[in-house]
């Protein structure tokens, strides 16, 4: 194994670094967390800039319209974006990181031609309509029904926790096409255009003061059969592809973001005296070591996905470790912040060059609670690891 970067990889890094140094300072300030239309505009503008510069869909195969970068280049790309404090993927999360990749693997040539380029250009935003009030961890019990009527499905039911639906153009939607008790065998994966009559979206406000998700009510919504990905009643298999992207590679950049957050917290702690506490230093050291291990795991997942086309079940190990680590990191942040952690407003005296701000620490903390729930709870990841990786008997 040669762990050095090749000349062409170094050239890729240098060119990307140059481009980022040029464009990132030209971006305006990030919109407030609570203003979703502004966040859509910000995130899709950034996506368009990546597209124009040839960096959109870095991990997508060339046939899918992406750059088809090698695993090493993908990791360099993520490292450089984080180093430059470039914008996060944001509202493009579902489209770029799991719906688009699912269409690449499972879609027809027509679907790939119709749906992939607008995701890459930042023209169209996607959301995910999997969970229902009675179907979260036990997703196979979902009840939203689709009945075929000529060349359309008529969809009726309710989804919940649908992230970014407020600003989405399409939704990757799971529906029941088989009998009520058909579980995994009666599910179909559809592409729902969000502008159809019969759709009612009601936002839900989180403790982070944001309406990042909500309830999606569907009443006789007509979806073309041409928008079905995979065969009717074969949607569970397609769903496994979606979830393996969501858990395996979608959160890879978060390991780097966590390292950046830890670095910023150290800066603040050294400045405000929190660093004199040996216990706090010990926790920071542990988190740093865990993050190094997590980044190694992320690199493994990226290489595996590049080799096989779809990330493996090992993504559950990464997802579990990352979510729980983010919660401990957020708690460390609140201990570093001290009384400043009680305020959402910027406290001027708290600011340290290279450090994180107190609202960033508070946001990271309130948001951390959802991490062990979103994209499959920690208990579910543990079940998957036990049964599918360790081969233990079903509980
Ligand atoms: C921030 C956020 C964003 C989200 N975005 C989306 C989205 O865009 N689209 C979407 O479709 N969904 C989304 N979700 C929903 C998410 O996928 C579900 O919340 C999650 O799968 C858990 O389902 P549930 O909330 O129904 O909890 P339940 O499934 O009811 O679980 C309740 C508790 O029981 C435990 N439990 C359940 N079954 C088992 C079992 N077999 N073994 C051990 N323990 C078990 C769970 O771990 C949990 O602690 C989002 C959630 C969050 C928090």
């Amino acid at each position: 194994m040669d762990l050095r970067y090749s000349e062409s990889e170094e050239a890729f890094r240098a060119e990307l670094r140059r481009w980022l140094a040029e464009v990132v300072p030209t971006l305006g300030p990030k919109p407030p967390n609570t203003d979703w239309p502004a966040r859509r505009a910000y995130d899709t503008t950034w996506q368009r800039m990546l597209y124009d510069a040839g960096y959109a869909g870095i991990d997508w195969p060339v046939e899918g319209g992406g750059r088809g970068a090698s695993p090493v280049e993908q990791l360099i790309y993520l490292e450089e974006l984080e180093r430059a404090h470039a914008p996060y993927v944001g509202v493009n999360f579902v489209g770029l990181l799991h719906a688009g990749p699912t269409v690449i693997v499972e879609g027809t040539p027509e679907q790939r031609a119709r749906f992939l380029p607008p995701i890459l250009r930042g023209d169209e935003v996607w959301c995910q309509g999997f969970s229902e009030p009675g179907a979260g961890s036990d997703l196979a019990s979902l009840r939203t029904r689709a009945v075929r009527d000529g060349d359309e499905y008529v969809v009726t039911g309710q989804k919940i926790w649908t992230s970014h639906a407020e600003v989405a153009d399409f939704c990757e939607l799971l529906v029941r096409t088989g009998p009520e008790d058909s579980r995994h065998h009666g599910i179909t994966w559809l592409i729902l255009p969000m502008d159809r009559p019969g759709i009612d979206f009601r936002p839900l406000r989180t403790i982070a003061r944001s309406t990042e998700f909500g309830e999606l009510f569907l009443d006789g919504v007509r979806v073309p059969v041409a928008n079905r990905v995979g065969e009717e009643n074969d949607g569970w298999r397609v769903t496994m592809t979606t979830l393996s992207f969501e858990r395996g590679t979608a959160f890879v950049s978060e390991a780097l973001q966590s390292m950046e957050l830890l670095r910023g917290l150290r800066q603040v702690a050294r400045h405000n005296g929190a660093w004199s506490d040996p216990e706090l230093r010990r926790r920071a050291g542990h988190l740093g070591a865990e993050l190094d291990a997590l980044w190694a795991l992320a690199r493994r997942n990226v290489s595996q996905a590049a080799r096989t086309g779809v990330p493996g079940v090992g993504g559950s190990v990464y997802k579990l470790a990352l979510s729980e680590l983010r919660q401990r990191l957020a708690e460390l942040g609140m201990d570093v912040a001290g009384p400043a952690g009680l305020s959402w407003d910027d406290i001027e005296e708290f600011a340290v060059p290279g450090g994180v701000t107190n609202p960033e620490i508070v946001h990271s903390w309130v948001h951390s609670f959802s991490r062990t729930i979103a994209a499959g709870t920690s208990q579910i990841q543990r079940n998957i690891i036990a049964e599918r990786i360790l081969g233990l008997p079903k509980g």
Side-chain angles (χ1 to χ4, degrees), residues 35-265:
D35 185 346
W36 282 97
R39 285 178 73 173
R40 175 185 163 128
Y42 186 84
D43 296 344
T44 53
T45 300
W46 171 242
Q47 182 58 31
R48 180 64 197 216
M49 289 163 80
L50 287 169
Y51 178 83
D52 288 340
Y55 292 115
I58 192 86
D59 55 333
W60 287 23
V62 176
E63 315 83 73
R67 183 160 173 137
S70 70
V72 175
E73 286 171 345
Q74 290 175 38
L75 295 161
I76 290 175
Y77 169 86
L78 294 174
E79 285 171 356
E80 289 302 317
L81 259 69
E82 198 51 44
R83 186 179 173 277
H85 294 133
Y88 180 57
V89 65
V91 300
N92 299 304
F93 185 92
V94 172
L96 274 175
L97 301 179
H98 54 86
T102 303
V103 173
I104 292 173
V105 176
E106 301 287 348
T108 61
E110 294 74 26
Q111 288 168 341
R112 290 202 282 270
R114 162 64 190 87
F115 294 108
L116 300 178
I119 295 176
L120 291 177
R121 287 195 302 264
D123 289 345
E124 288 174 352
V125 167
W126 285 55
C127 62
Q128 181 186 35
F130 282 16
S131 307
E132 298 183 3
S137 302
D138 184 16
L139 191 55
S141 65
L142 65 90
R143 291 160 54 156
T144 293
R145 172 148 288 285
V147 179
R148 182 120 179 210
D149 180 23
D151 56 5
E152 290 180 318
Y153 285 105
V154 182
V155 182
T156 300
Q158 187 199 338
K159 296 290 171 179
I160 194 165
W161 318 125
T162 322
S163 303
H164 311 149
E166 192 172 333
V167 291
D169 304 291
F170 291 98
C171 178
E172 49 174 14
L173 186 75
L174 296 187
V175 292
R176 181 149 313 279
T177 35
E180 212 171 288
D181 58 355
S182 53
R183 292 194 52 85
H184 309 79
H185 305 291
I187 290 173
T188 299
W189 203 106
L190 295 180
I191 301 172
L192 166 74
M194 292 293 284
D195 59 357
R196 294 274 149 145
I199 299 180
D200 180 18
F201 176 70
R202 300 182 201 163
L204 293 167
R205 193 169 297 278
T206 70
I207 50 169
R209 307 190 301 178
S210 164
T211 51
E212 71 177 73
F213 51 36
E215 299 170 289
L216 193 63
F217 294 89
L218 305 161
D219 184 10
V221 182
R222 292 188 163 266
V223 182
V225 171
N227 282 17
R228 188 186 68 214
V229 175
E231 293 303 312
E232 187 169 296
N233 294 332
D234 192 28
W236 189 253
R237 195 184 52 75
V238 183
T239 304
M240 291 302 106
T241 301
T242 311
L243 293 183
S244 63
F245 279 110
E246 187 176 12
R247 292 166 186 171
T249 42
F251 294 110
V252 162
S253 66
E254 291 210 8
L256 294 169
Q257 284 166 16
S258 307
M259 288 177 183
E260 201 53 34
L261 178 59
L262 183 59
R263 246 193 304 275
L265 288 175

Side-chain angles (χ1 to χ4, degrees), residues 82 255-267 291 326 329-330 332-333 354-357 360-361 364-365:
E82 198 51 44
L256 294 169
Q257 284 166 16
S258 307
M259 288 177 183
E260 201 53 34
L261 178 59
L262 183 59
R263 246 193 304 275
L265 288 175
R266 279 204 196 103
Q267 284 295 101
L291 278 167
R326 287 294 299 219
L329 180 59
L332 182 85
V356 274
T357 64
E360 281 168 340
I361 293 176
S364 147
W365 184 67

